[in-house]
Amino acid sequence: MFESGIERTIIITAVVLWFAHGWYLNERLKNVHDKLDRVLEAFDGLRDYLYEIDPQFDDERQLLEDLHESLDSGSVSFAGMNHMELIKKKEQEGKRTLNTPLVR
């Protein structure tokens, strides 16, 4: 098939360069994904911070706090059901909830 050593060398070199180029691009892509993950984590932290201080979520926070208190004390409470109803009501009205992602 390959009649001379030069042809074999050229083909082997081309294959090695092709694999090396693929490896290099894969490493660059990993770096891009790492940077993208850091940016998305920063935005998620921003979302948590903004939702933490926004007064429109005070009703949800209060219901969640009531639920946690009832679970800790072992008493019966309807805070979980009330929270689910509030979430459904807000979603029907097109309002954000504490679990709404920053970008829809």
Side-chain angles (χ1 to χ4, degrees):
M1 182 171 174
F2 302 115
E3 296 184 13
S4 70
I6 294 176
E7 289 176 349
R8 273 185 246 143
T9 304
I10 291 172
I11 299 294
I12 291 173
T13 303
V15 170
V16 168
L17 286 175
W18 182 61
F19 279 111
H21 187 254
W23 174 81
Y24 171 75
L25 291 176
N26 191 34
E27 291 300 312
R28 296 283 306 246
L29 188 60
K30 285 180 187 177
N31 291 338
V32 168
H33 280 286
D34 291 341
K35 290 177 184 176
L36 181 61
D37 288 341
R38 285 196 303 268
V39 168
L40 292 176
E41 286 174 11
F43 276 120
D44 194 40
L46 176 64
R47 181 191 75 84
D48 290 342
Y49 173 72
L50 292 175
Y51 284 10
E52 184 178 295
I53 63 172
D54 197 342
Q56 74 175 333
F57 303 116
D58 287 344
D59 51 356
E60 286 185 63
R61 283 191 212 99
Q62 183 61 44
L63 287 173
L64 288 174
E65 186 177 318
D66 293 345
L67 177 63
H68 289 291
E69 286 177 7
S70 68
L71 291 175
D72 290 341
S73 66
S75 64
V76 177
S77 171
F78 292 104
M81 183 176 64
N82 293 339
H83 183 260
M84 286 177 46
E85 289 175 357
L86 179 66
I87 296 297
K88 285 180 186 176
K89 180 182 171 190
K90 281 187 171 184
E91 287 175 351
Q92 288 173 350
E93 294 173 356
K95 294 181 180 178
R96 291 185 174 274
T97 64
L98 283 172
N99 295 326
T100 305
L102 192 60
V103 179
R104 290 185 185 192

